[in-house]
Amino acid sequence: MRLFVIVAALLLIPVTAASAHMALASASPFEAGIAHPLSGLDHVAAMVAVGILAGVKGGRALWLWPLTFVGLAVLGGMLGFAHVWLPFVELGILVSAVVLSLMVTLAIAPKLWTGAALVGGFALLHGHAHGNEVAHSVYGLEFAVGFSVATLALHVVGIGLALAWKRVVSTRVRRQGIPLGRRRQWPLDCVPINLRTP
């Protein structure tokens, strides 16, 4: 599982570098909105982690947590654009990337609304940082739409990673004939060591 998280992060590094370059070269507000959430690994890691957690949790979390993140990020962006001060924004963004990544790695699955509140709080800080950075410009609605699209896309990447890994583990479990009661509760976790194939 840890190898899975590390590989996923490494795959995202060139994406963030390329998107940051696109943000500088783009003259379109919509393109700039798309590029902005991809311009930092801390932002990308947090958004992908939300998708992974939602994909693993399943049920209503599959859509509630990503949409909560997008909605609160847009609200935070509006606050930042309007120069409304929020405390500990940069520190909160760093903490969000660490906390959400640890939740994935350590198999911490919060309750539905606890998770929604957590990702919503982090999203407010992420959105505020982006809004504050572009407050001097006049991007407006097109930027907000592009920002939302990119954020949802990162969540979808995380959900896809989670569902793909669940499928791999499920297939492995079926092939080994492991009884339901002996399966791990966390779908992203590996099959127990004594049951692994050589």
Side-chain angles (χ1 to χ4, degrees), residues 5 49 53 95-108 186:
V5 174
L53 291 170
V95 168
S96 73
V98 173
V99 168
L100 291 171
S101 298
L102 285 176
M103 288 175 67
V104 172
T105 306
L106 301 178
I108 300 174
W186 187 250

Side-chain angles (χ1 to χ4, degrees), residues 37-63:
L38 307 175
S39 60
L41 188 58
D42 50 353
H43 294 286
V44 174
M47 295 174 194
V48 172
V50 169
I52 293 176
L53 291 170
V56 169
K57 182 75 172 177
R60 288 187 293 171
L62 197 60
W63 57 267

Side-chain angles (χ1 to χ4, degrees), residues 12-35:
L12 288 168
I13 290 175
V15 175
T16 59
S19 62
H21 176 75
M22 185 180 77
L24 294 175
S26 173
S28 164
F30 179 75
E31 291 175 351
I34 289 179

Side-chain angles (χ1 to χ4, degrees), residues 82-165:
H83 298 289
V84 177
W85 180 79
L86 288 180
F88 308 116
V89 171
E90 293 301 327
L91 177 61
I93 290 172
L94 177 61
V95 168
S96 73
V98 173
V99 168
L100 291 171
S101 298
L102 285 176
M103 288 175 67
V104 172
T105 306
L106 301 178
I108 300 174
K111 294 181 182 296
L112 179 66
W113 293 106
T114 302
L118 182 67
V119 302
F122 287 150
L124 192 69
L125 300 178
H126 281 265
H128 187 277
H130 289 297
N132 189 55
E133 287 174 12
V134 300
H136 61 280
S137 66
V138 288
Y139 285 142
L141 182 60
E142 289 183 58
F143 179 88
V145 172
F147 176 88
S148 300
V149 168
T151 301
L152 276 175
L154 289 171
H155 292 327
V156 170
V157 168
I159 292 171
L161 289 171
L163 296 181
W165 195 256

